[in-house]
Amino acid sequence: MFVFGKCSRGIKVIILLTLVSACSDLSILNFKTPAVGTVVTRIYSFLEFELTSLFFLFLSQRRYFSRIIISLMILFPLIVVADFKFSGNTISFDNLVLVCESAVFVTYSVMAFYHFMTDMKFTSLTSTPNFWILSAILIYFGGAIFVFSSVNYASRISRDLFNSLWMMHAVLRMSYSVILTIAFWKARKQYQ
């Protein structure tokens, strides 16, 4: 049986992020107006950044890495507000927030993998839930940089190109969810 109380703080944060994601998706489905979707997406991006950064903060064993994470957690809300204000509250599939968020998470993941490899604390890296969480973040946000930086341009060029990019996003999101499921399964085995 999976016991939430026995999980590490990082795993608890990722479980909370998964619940926030589900609530965000459900609210967008219930309120199908573009304006509500834009606001919910911006709020979700903020919560996603803060919770995922908190995961990396809990994972971090290095003081300088922790300071970078805390600094960006403080700076990111300003980027969200500035992007929302300067975009004129228009409906946009890609924006500065999502591209910045993706670039930061790819960097965090690469740094965390580097520290995992240099510390060599684990006999089998793939048996730890954190490996799978980092893999999910790296795959999803690595692809999201490309998708979110080009989807508005693609929508002006061709509807087919836009649909292809959005399908790529859906595949990346499904991969992210499947890999997180593996992480939760590994956590269940670890914390039984």
Side-chain angles (χ1 to χ4, degrees):
M1 184 170 141
F2 186 74
V3 180
F4 183 77
K6 290 183 180 181
C7 292
S8 68
R9 295 181 301 175
I11 300 294
K12 289 177 184 177
V13 167
I14 295 299
I15 292 170
L16 178 61
L17 176 61
T18 304
L19 294 174
V20 167
S21 176
C23 291
S24 169
D25 290 344
L26 289 174
S27 65
I28 288 173
L29 285 174
N30 287 332
F31 304 103
K32 294 183 180 181
T33 63
V36 171
T38 300
V39 171
V40 169
T41 301
R42 301 289 171 106
I43 292 170
Y44 174 72
S45 294
F46 166 72
L47 292 173
E48 180 180 50
F49 185 86
E50 296 296 319
L51 289 172
T52 306
S53 293
L54 198 58
F55 164 75
F56 281 105
L57 188 63
F58 291 150
L59 187 65
S60 174
Q61 301 290 321
R62 309 242 184 321
R63 181 172 287 163
Y64 72 90
F65 192 41
S66 297
R67 287 181 183 161
I68 292 169
I69 293 169
I70 291 169
S71 299
L72 289 175
M73 286 176 75
I74 293 168
L75 180 65
F76 193 74
L78 300 174
I79 295 171
V80 172
V81 170
D83 184 56
F84 190 66
K85 183 175 180 171
F86 293 121
S87 69
N89 302 337
T90 58
I91 299 158
S92 174
F93 292 105
D94 59 279
N95 56 50
L96 177 66
V97 172
L98 296 171
V99 173
C100 288
E101 176 185 35
S102 297
V104 167
F105 290 155
V106 166
T107 304
Y108 284 174
S109 297
V110 169
M111 290 175 70
F113 271 125
Y114 173 76
H115 293 305
F116 271 163
M117 298 302 179
T118 57
D119 291 346
M120 298 299 285
K121 289 182 182 178
F122 305 104
T123 55
S124 174
L125 192 59
T126 58
S127 66
T128 66
N130 290 336
F131 168 82
W132 293 100
I133 293 169
L134 288 172
S135 298
I137 291 170
L138 191 58
I139 290 168
Y140 174 69
F141 288 102
I145 290 173
F146 171 72
V147 170
F148 288 124
S149 65
S150 58
V151 75
N152 270 349
Y153 177 72
S155 69
R156 286 186 297 243
I157 301 275
S158 156
R159 184 69 180 171
D160 290 337
L161 183 58
F162 171 81
N163 289 341
S164 297
L165 277 174
W166 212 242
M167 182 60 72
M168 181 189 298
H169 176 259
V171 169
L172 288 168
R173 192 67 181 181
M174 284 189 300
S175 301
Y176 177 76
S177 298
V178 167
I179 297 170
L180 279 184
T181 303
I182 294 170
F184 295 151
W185 177 65
K186 294 289 184 176
R188 182 190 62 83
K189 288 176 68 174
Q190 188 174 13
Y191 297 116
Q192 274 185 328

